[in-house]
């Protein structure tokens, strides 16, 4: 699957945004929110090179958290039609204004947000259009959650045969494979 560079960056951004949400473990204890305050939002904006963002405040934080929740719904959507409906709502609410740009050393690419848009509208428009690309390409099932029982992070499965099951094969995948191996060895030793 050929994904344009700017779409790939937007997909990485939406995955990272969704994964800032606190997770509840099996004991009901949640992790901390990766966007727990305005300073964390500034950090997210810097680490993802989100352009055109001015001063941020609590209103921006609340709006981004709302967008994050909507993106999480897209990853949980049972089918392409449900995902499309959610994406359409997000993109429409952001007031998209597609424009070609070549800023900050990046080659020509499309921004879908209006000039001067809030960071939430910027994310909703650009990341929403990246998710729309996946639905249009018939690849909505590539928007997944990690199958490790103690993880659940979002990821985009870009494997050739759509077989990726874990957000990171070196951590979640390897941990489960080692646990299964040890269980088999223990069972063989007992038997």
């Amino acid at each position: 699957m050929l994904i344009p560079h700017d779409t790939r960056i937007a997909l990485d951004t939406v995955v990272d945004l969704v994964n800032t949400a606190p997770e509840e473990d099996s004991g009901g204890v949640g992790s901390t929110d990766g966007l727990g305050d305005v300073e964390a939002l500034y950090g997210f904006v810097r680490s993802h090179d989100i352009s055109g963002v001015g001063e941020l405040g609590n209103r921006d934080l609340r709006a981004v958290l709302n967008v994050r929740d909507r993106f999480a719904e897209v990853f949980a959507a049972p089918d392409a039609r449900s995902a499309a409906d959610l994406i359409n709502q997000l993109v429409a609410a952001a007031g998209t204004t597609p424009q070609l740009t070549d800023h900050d050393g990046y080659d020509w690419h499309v921004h879908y947000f209006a000039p001067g848009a809030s960071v939430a509208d910027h994310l909703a428009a650009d990341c929403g259009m990246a998710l729309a690309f996946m639905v249009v390409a018939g690849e909505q099932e590539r928007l997944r959650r990690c199958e490790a029982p103690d993880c659940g992070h979002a990821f985009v499965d870009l494997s050739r045969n759509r077989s990726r099951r874990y957000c990171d094969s070196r951590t979640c995948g390897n941990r489960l494979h080692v646990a299964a191996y040890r269980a088999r060895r223990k069972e063989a030793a007992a038997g």
Side-chain angles (χ1 to χ4, degrees), residues 4 6 52 60 84-85 101 128 136 179 183:
D6 54 324
D60 296 297
D85 289 344
T101 184
V136 167

Side-chain angles (χ1 to χ4, degrees), residues 34-176:
L35 290 178
D37 57 29
V38 174
E39 206 50 46
L41 179 57
Y42 272 115
F44 184 86
V45 165
R46 279 190 302 274
S47 68
H48 291 85
D49 291 326
I50 299 173
S51 62
V53 175
E55 288 294 315
L56 298 173
N58 286 321
R59 182 177 179 190
D60 296 297
L61 178 60
R62 285 189 302 275
V64 169
L65 295 178
N66 182 48
V67 168
R68 178 183 71 184
D69 291 346
R70 302 300 303 273
F71 282 143
E73 292 175 27
V74 173
F75 276 82
D79 54 47
R81 180 159 311 282
S82 300
D85 289 344
L86 292 164
I87 294 166
N88 284 339
Q89 291 170 23
L90 270 164
V91 171
T96 58
T97 307
Q99 59 184 332
L100 284 166
T101 184
D102 67 341
H103 62 88
D104 299 327
Y106 293 105
D107 204 358
W108 288 106
H109 60 283
V110 179
H111 279 187
Y112 294 96
F113 55 92
S118 70
V119 67
D121 285 347
H122 179 137
L123 290 168
D126 272 5
C127 295
M129 291 305 295
L131 293 172
F133 173 84
M134 298 300 288
V135 172
V136 167
E139 304 289 353
Q140 182 261 336
E141 74 275 359
R142 289 183 184 267
L143 306 176
R144 297 196 175 158
R145 291 290 190 155
C146 183
E147 291 182 18
D150 58 342
C151 183
H153 277 134
F155 68 94
V156 178
D157 177 6
L158 296 177
S159 66
R160 184 171 285 190
N161 62 357
R162 298 178 184 94
S163 62
R164 188 170 157 197
R165 297 174 47 207
Y166 308 108
C167 64
D168 187 343
S169 61
R170 286 171 282 161
T171 55
C172 291
N174 191 44
R175 187 168 22 92
L176 289 176

